[in-house]
Amino acid sequence: MIIFHLTTAEDWQKAEKLGKYKAPSLEREGFIHCSTKPQVTIIANTFYSEYCELTLLEIDTEKLISEVRWESPVHPNSHVSHKINNNDKFPHVYGAINLEAIIQIIPLKKKSSQSQFVIT
């Protein structure tokens, strides 16, 4: 199965040097937030609205070393208004993401006419 994770170019460059990807949420919450492709746009525009560019990691769960659990959404920024369905299940990765599991790195930029991220 394919899942996705949003990050910054800077954090992705750190992962390349480290040999594995560790999001700040891994230390804070014990897992890395991921999503399905249909969930990516709402996550990008809700929690990363202050960014103009992001890096989208496409992850093959069959190649992941760390455990993936499908769970209800956890909102690290509870003060942020969002349209996330609390009944949806999101993939959470409980551990670092080994680079071999990342099958594509996709640069994302906001559409200037909409000031939002659009994922096709």
Side-chain angles (χ1 to χ4, degrees):
M1 172 173 267
I2 303 299
I3 61 174
F4 298 86
H5 175 73
L6 289 161
T7 190
T8 63
E10 179 182 59
D11 283 349
W12 170 242
Q13 290 169 354
K14 288 178 191 174
E16 288 182 303
K17 290 178 185 170
L18 186 61
K20 58 186 170 184
Y21 178 80
K22 295 171 82 174
S25 67
L26 187 56
E27 292 295 320
R28 266 191 332 264
E29 300 167 58
F31 62 87
I32 298 172
H33 293 265
C34 292
S35 59
T36 62
K37 190 169 187 176
Q39 295 167 332
V40 170
T41 302
I42 195 164
I43 297 299
N45 291 311
T46 300
F47 296 106
Y48 295 91
S49 61
E50 71 273 15
Y51 292 91
C52 292
E53 297 181 14
L54 290 171
T55 299
L56 181 64
L57 305 179
E58 185 174 342
I59 304 161
D60 184 343
T61 60
E62 298 296 319
K63 297 178 180 180
L64 262 178
I65 294 171
S66 298
E67 178 186 7
V68 177
R69 297 183 201 161
W70 290 82
E71 301 174 315
S72 296
V74 175
H75 308 298
N77 304 336
S78 58
H79 65 283
V80 174
S81 170
H82 61 78
K83 297 178 183 174
I84 297 169
N85 183 339
N86 286 324
N87 294 321
D88 276 354
K89 297 294 183 198
F90 286 80
H92 295 156
V93 178
Y94 281 81
I97 296 173
N98 51 303
L99 299 188
E100 300 80 26
I102 300 170
I103 57 175
Q104 191 171 5
I105 298 104
I106 306 163
L108 297 180
K109 291 185 180 184
K110 284 187 177 176
K111 295 284 185 185
S112 59
S113 61
Q114 299 172 337
S115 293
Q116 291 191 344
F117 291 103
V118 177
I119 291 91
T120 56

